[in-house]
Amino acid sequence: MSNLGFGARIRGMKRLKQSYILSCGLLALILNLFIELMSRRSLTGLLTFIVTRPHIFLYGAGIIFLTMMPALLFRRRVFVLFLVSLVWAAAGITDFVLLTFRTTPFTAVDLKLVKYALNMLDKYISWYQIILALAAVSLAVAGGAWIFIKAPRYEGRIQYVKIVLMICVFSLAAYGATSLGMETGIFAKNFGNLADAYHEYGFVYCFGSSLLNTGITKPEDYAPEVIVRIESEDIEKEDIGSDSSQTVQENVEGTAVSTEESQEISGTVRKDTDFPNVIMIQLESFFDPQTVEGLVYSKDPIPNFHQLQEKYSSGYMLVPSVGAGTANTEFEVLTGMNLDFFGPGEYPYKTVLKETTCESISYIMKKLDFTAHAIHNNDGTFYDRHIVFSQLGFDTFTPIEYMNRYETNPVGWAKDKVLQTYITEALNATEGQDFIYTITVQDHGAYPQTEVIQDPEIIVEGCDTEAEHFQMEYFVNQLYETDQFIGELIHELSTWPEDVVVVMYGDHLPPMGFEEDEIDTGSLFQTPYVVWSNFDMERKELNLEAYQMTAYVLERLNIHLGTMPRLHQKYMNMDAAERDEEAYLENMRLLEYDLLYGDKTADEKKLESTDLQMGLDEIKILDVGIEYGNLYVRGNYFTPSSRVFIDDSEQETVYVSPYLLVVHNTELIPGESFCLDVRQVGADKIELGRTLTWEE
């Protein structure tokens, strides 16, 4: 009987292999065909991939097949298989949709950005498209319910041990194939260009890498003494002593020298009063549209920026992404860190910076007694900036929830001209020097494919289709208004009573489907920058990496503070023949790992996150009254995002002015006791701050 039972089990496994496994293998191939078709958006691209990279295609199908194997552990195998297949198909469709609006493919990090995407949904797709999407989801749910009810259940004995062993064998095979591919160069460990990587290595491998590979892998030669050696090779270190009135510089042996002596040694330290205010402006989707071949404009879309380029230091900055990824350009500029060492498509704002501090230009300038401000005419919670900016050393953050007097463009983004007011208010907010980091948003996509501007300031000619024409015409007219904001800001700062340096740069090219051969620069990853000052500075032309921008600006101001800036300054100051790029990149990787994931040997003072103040001014309640059934809350600095809460219950609040909020038809009775406060609440319903409680 035992032999017969064993034989029956063997035959059962054979039947399993012949039916389920073969079916799964065929389904995995079909799913991978669908996913790669969505990724490449053309049948020609799909066929080219299969013919030129058949091993990569089969690898992707194999990984999909592996994810189907756990269904064998359930009696409702068909239903579980349907769910797995649905997830893969949804990933392919999501990738296709995202590539319609940007050039960055779908990565695991996007799953962490879902709440932001939902808030912006109406700016990218129409209501009928939303309805179609909801209908598709409803159909998938209905199909799943039907399969759950109607599909046959497996009634035989589930051989858990053998199935688990089989899954383990397939998993080990997949792991071995992946490791071998990475060691032999078939697969890349790091992706310089995410879009190119998806085309080269397939969706399955790249998405899997973005899911499993995050952070910076510990370098094999990482050790505290290695970090000390790297730092000793850089420009001589400087730091601020415990007495803020005295600047000290440490030599390699760690001996402190006085301010006067340090000036004689390196000439890199000036009196605090000699430093100018520093303003950085990251311009959303900003580039020169006149570099696009074949397009003609009725007038220059960015005349002020062009004038600044001619008179002041300028060049191109190599950014880490195209069409999206604002926070990653921001990260490289603020920290001097290279994103290439992180996981594919990773946003450090969504991972490591939510939990740890990071050296940044804010912390560096604070060593010189600067106050660090951040300003953004968009939601404060976007990319978790309301959390991350405290990890980057900012003292204040003014997002749109703390702004008044702003207008919106036809798509709904706040216009950039409102930023001029908050930049100058930040300059006036303190007696000392200020570092002000500003992020614009007006030029953000999506760009309408129908006419939304009836009388455009700039007319565009040369587009291939009507939809492209309306997209480009809308974009350049938004760009023109941003340029007007630049011109007006520079005009005001040109007579500012204090020295000011303004650094302006584009975060990435807009998601307009440009090809490299259509851009005069020959690169989709280059954006223009300019460094303006209201005092004499030598004009220079230099192309930079985004992570070198802070080091370059500090160098121009004769400041050599900070681990990452000193590394970059040393490299940039070398003659071209002396530069060892491989060693430079390796040292960069070691320092980044140390500062974020290692022993923080380079972070001598162990940076502490700041107590981030939202808004420049404290919102206050001055008086509360009830008249004719309405509640009147009087105070200072209210905004359209101010919400009245009574006993922790949100009220329907009417914003009247920065001094008055009204709650109509309140049930409160004069003389009745209650607790009231005003809270700043964004579109995502996240509270950013609240007033002191007013008690009646």
Side-chain angles (χ1 to χ4, degrees), residues 123-140:
K123 294 181 174 67
Y124 282 88
I125 61 177
S126 61
W127 282 109
Y128 83 86
Q129 290 173 318
I130 294 176
I131 293 172
L132 286 176
L134 292 175
V137 171
S138 300
L139 185 62

Side-chain angles (χ1 to χ4, degrees), residues 235-255:
I235 295 173
E236 294 171 310
K237 295 177 62 176
E238 300 161 20
D239 209 338
I240 301 299
S242 57
D243 181 358
S244 61
S245 65
Q246 182 183 26
T247 303
V248 300
Q249 180 185 31
E250 294 180 356
N251 59 21
V252 176
E253 290 75 30
T255 304

Side-chain angles (χ1 to χ4, degrees), residues 606-655:
K606 302 299 184 284
L607 298 172
E608 295 183 1
S609 59
T610 58
D611 184 12
L612 186 66
Q613 174 184 315
M614 302 301 294
L616 286 170
D617 301 297
E618 182 183 359
I619 299 175
K620 295 181 179 180
I621 300 174
L622 300 178
D623 183 51
V624 174
I626 302 173
E627 300 176 17
Y628 306 106
N630 299 323
L631 176 70
Y632 295 88
V633 180
R634 296 175 176 85
N636 287 329
Y637 307 114
F638 296 142
T639 76
S641 295
S642 298
R643 299 288 181 269
V644 174
F645 280 72
I646 299 175
D647 297 328
D648 281 331
S649 176
E650 183 177 356
Q651 308 298 303
E652 187 172 340
T653 306
V654 177
Y655 168 78

